[in-house]
Amino acid sequence: MADLLETRDLTDPTQHGWAVDYRIRREDGEGLHVEVRCWDRAHDAAKKSGNAAALQAIDERGVGAALEAAEEAESPADRGAVMISIWFDPADDGS
């Protein structure tokens, strides 16, 4: 499983939600970045629809989703630099 090496909060004080950058080392030893963003509207949509999986992921600031996506991505050793972007979407019940 991938390991979380560093967390940086990218949230601007004026933004309606949050943004986090995770630096992750994959099981194969390769490193990459995963940005996770959630707007207040996506969180509200997840609450309204009762989307428990999205609410859990939002509550943990997407760290589990980031680690999973890092392992599923093509290896940076084969592809080069890899940057993954995850957005919680209000149009998809917060997923």
Side-chain angles (χ1 to χ4, degrees):
M1 185 67 183
D3 293 316
L4 181 62
L5 300 177
E6 181 181 358
T7 301
R8 287 185 338 170
D9 189 339
L10 305 174
T11 308
D12 184 281
T14 63
Q15 114 186 28
H16 298 281
W18 50 263
V20 180
D21 175 67
Y22 297 113
R23 193 166 61 89
I24 295 173
R25 182 177 35 237
R26 295 163 34 104
E27 193 172 278
D28 64 7
E30 294 296 319
L32 51 86
H33 285 266
V34 180
E35 276 190 17
V36 183
R37 297 178 181 271
C38 181
W39 309 129
D40 293 341
R41 288 182 46 220
H43 186 245
D44 294 344
K47 276 186 188 176
K48 185 177 180 179
S49 69
N51 188 339
L55 288 170
Q56 180 179 350
I58 290 168
D59 286 345
E60 69 177 21
R61 292 198 168 235
V63 72
L67 292 169
E68 184 178 328
E71 280 298 335
E72 291 177 0
E74 191 173 343
S75 175
D78 297 332
R79 179 166 183 85
V82 174
M83 172 67 178
I84 299 170
S85 183
I86 299 172
W87 294 69
F88 292 98
D89 190 344
D92 192 20
D93 296 331
S95 291

